Structure formats: C-alpha cells, structure tokens
Amino acid sequence: MTEHEGVSDGVAENTRTIEASVVTDFSDRMSYGGYLDLPTLLSAQRPISRPEHHDELLFIIQHQTTELWLKLVLHELETARDLLRADELGQALKCIARVKHIQKTLTEQWSVLATLTPAEYAQFRGVLGNASGFQSYQYRAVEFVLGNKNAKMLQVFEADASATTLLRHALESPSLYDEFLRLLARAGYPIPASVLERDVTLAWTFTPELVPVFAQIYGDTAAHWSAYETCEELVDLEDNFQLWRFRHLKTVERIIGSKPGTGGSSGAPFLRRALELTFFPELYAVRTEIPG
C-alpha cells in the first residue's frame, strides 16, 4: 500500500514502527525516568482526604509545580544578581528574560486551579489544617531577591532550618535592584551614596533622588540604551509579578469568597493588600517626568 493509500513509511494499521536505532534496553543505561528521578517525583503526590477526594490531586499538583517553577525563578534571579555585580549586563538580561516566560506560565496556571469549584474544594479543605501558600519560603525568597524584604517573615519558618537559612541569606544579600543601581554607579550615573550604602535587609522604599537619574536615561534612550533596556526589563518583571498576584486573588475569591485563609490570614483582603507592594517604584514614577 502506498502513502497515498493511507499508510506512510513506518506506519501500518495506525501503529508506528520503532526504529532499529531506538534504545530500548535500560538495564545499564541512563533512562528518561532515571535522569528525572520520576519515581520520587511522581510519588510525592499524596492526598490525605479520606475517602480520597478526586480534586485533591489537582490542588497538590498545582502547588507542587508552582514550587518547581519558583525554584527555577530563584535560580535565575540569583544568577542575574551575581552577573550584575560582575558587570555582565547582557547575560543578566538573558536570565531575566527566562524569568519573564516562567512568570507567564505561573499566571496561566491559575486557570487550571480555577476549575475547582467551591463545593469541590470544601470536600477536602479541612484536611489542609494550617497549611497555606503563605508559608512558601521560595516565594518569600523571590520577593526578598526582588527587594520586598520583611525580616518578620522569618518567624513563619523557624521550625524549618533549611528554609530559614535560605531566607536569611536572601534577606542579608543585596537585591537585584541594589545590584543594578550599583552597576549604574560604576558606569558613572549619579546614584546617591545613601542608596549605595543602605541597609539591604530592609524593604526597598521609594527614593525620589533616583527619579532624575532615570529621567536622564529615559530622556535619551539611544545614549543610554543598556541602562534603559534593563529598566524596562525590570518593569516587565514587576508587571508580571503583579498580574500573578492579581490572578491569585481572583482565583481565591472564586473558590472561597471572603473566607479566612487556612494559614490564619484574612484571605482575599490579605492578598489584595499585596497588590500595593512594589519592587521598583522609581521606574514607574519616572514616567510622570517624561515630556509629552
């Protein structure tokens, strides 16, 4: 039978022939499952509702995959920060570009959890106890690396030594924004000494003295292209982060309405206040200063 009669080379009766060169014996070779440690990964989803509720698996996988993506986001942001410290701006921007794609994936992922109806979630919400996304130490570490630091958050993780170590390191290290501003200073931009010498364990707050610096950059983008491009990449990061926060809020409202969170927060009102937090306020303020 020819290809035009419904069968192409290597496919008969809707079955593809395995090529002779394809490796099938993994008794002493690295396999896909072995490389990814799939037995460990796929055994980590353990619903605890009894009888086991169908939708609990969705809830677990949603949050586990989020944590995996956050691990990569943290990896990329920390590398970008180190590259900025070494004046390797182009490579740092590559890491930031990857983070932006991950952020889009994380935001879209909320649509999967949003298929969980209030009645379905109510069937197993009680088994969560006080477990809450508020307790995600990787999420807090990402916030810290971006400059939104809060030392009081560490008390949530006192029972987890490794989480506390990770967060304390992020708290005590310069943020991505700190390193960008230091890079600008080394490049000759008039960054105030008070900024360069600030206590990096504190949350970044709006610094009006920086707005004229960014106005200079935005006023002649061709002359300051590298700095300008980095500013816009940082704005993209913050925009994406806020979209993620907003989608989180709306998903929570859709599923539990105004009920308190399992971790003891007020729920949706608490998440709504997070939308008021900022990472790079001067990069937004400078837009008011641009003529036209």
Side-chain angles (χ1 to χ4, degrees):
M1 184 177 290
T2 68
E3 182 175 353
H4 295 289
E5 293 174 312
V7 178
S8 61
D9 292 341
V11 177
E13 297 182 354
N14 204 31
T15 302
R16 180 175 58 174
T17 301
I18 299 178
E19 297 171 344
S21 59
V22 172
V23 178
T24 58
D25 181 5
F26 294 97
S27 57
D28 60 354
R29 295 182 176 93
M30 175 69 75
S31 69
Y32 173 81
Y35 176 71
L36 296 178
D37 195 11
L38 288 182
T40 299
L41 180 66
L42 299 180
S43 64
Q45 297 75 48
R46 297 187 290 271
I48 60 176
S49 56
R50 293 294 180 269
E52 182 177 319
H53 192 275
H54 170 81
D55 297 297
E56 191 180 355
L57 184 63
L58 159 64
F59 193 80
I60 292 172
I61 289 177
Q62 170 87 23
H63 291 84
Q64 287 184 341
T65 53
T66 295
E67 290 297 329
L68 286 173
W69 283 124
L70 287 174
K71 182 175 183 177
L72 185 56
V73 167
L74 192 57
H75 174 68
E76 297 294 340
L77 289 178
E78 289 178 333
T79 300
R81 182 185 59 193
D82 294 343
L83 288 166
L84 290 175
R85 186 181 302 127
D87 292 327
E88 297 289 349
L89 184 57
Q91 293 182 50
L93 291 180
K94 175 63 169 64
C95 293
I96 291 173
R98 180 173 290 166
V99 171
K100 288 163 53 179
H101 284 286
I102 299 169
Q103 287 178 307
K104 291 179 181 178
T105 297
L106 284 168
T107 299
E108 286 298 319
Q109 195 167 285
W110 286 118
S111 66
V112 182
L113 189 61
T115 65
L116 184 66
T117 69
E120 290 167 342
Y121 184 42
Q123 295 298 310
F124 65 88
R125 189 185 189 218
V127 305
L128 300 180
N130 293 125
S132 167
F134 177 79
Q135 299 146 18
S136 169
Y137 61 85
Q138 290 195 125
Y139 173 81
R140 296 301 166 200
V142 169
E143 284 193 323
F144 284 10
V145 172
L146 291 176
N148 184 214
K149 300 185 179 185
N150 185 347
K152 292 181 179 180
M153 287 292 182
L154 268 66
Q155 64 187 342
V156 178
F157 306 97
E158 287 178 349
D160 187 333
S162 61
T164 299
T165 298
L166 175 71
L167 282 172
R168 187 167 296 283
H169 176 71
L171 179 73
E172 296 174 353
S173 300
S175 70
L176 184 74
Y177 197 37
D178 285 319
E179 292 296 357
F180 174 51
L181 294 172
R182 293 176 182 185
L183 180 149
L184 291 180
R186 291 192 296 273
Y189 291 92
I191 305 299
S194 59
V195 169
L196 302 175
E197 299 166 2
R198 82 179 194 92
D199 182 352
V200 298
T201 66
L202 301 178
W204 180 269
T205 56
F206 178 63
T207 306
E209 294 83 1
L210 285 175
V211 176
V213 179
F214 290 122
Q216 175 188 356
I217 293 170
Y218 276 80
D220 189 349
T221 58
H224 306 280
W225 183 260
S226 294
Y228 167 71
E229 181 183 19
T230 308
C231 289
E232 287 298 285
E233 290 293 305
L234 293 178
V235 170
D236 285 346
L237 275 183
E238 178 152 352
D239 274 359
N240 289 345
F241 209 100
Q242 293 289 42
L243 287 171
W244 185 91
R245 283 170 167 163
F246 179 75
R247 195 69 181 90
H248 184 192
L249 165 65
K250 301 313 289 184
T251 301
V252 167
E253 287 181 331
R254 175 175 180 143
I255 297 175
I256 66 169
S258 298
K259 293 177 182 176
T262 49
S265 76
S266 58
F270 182 76
L271 296 176
R272 191 173 294 109
R273 288 195 295 275
L275 294 172
E276 300 175 11
L277 300 174
T278 184
F279 299 121
F280 320 119
E282 298 81 11
L283 297 182
Y284 288 86
V286 71
R287 280 144 168 80
T288 307
E289 307 301 319
I290 299 172

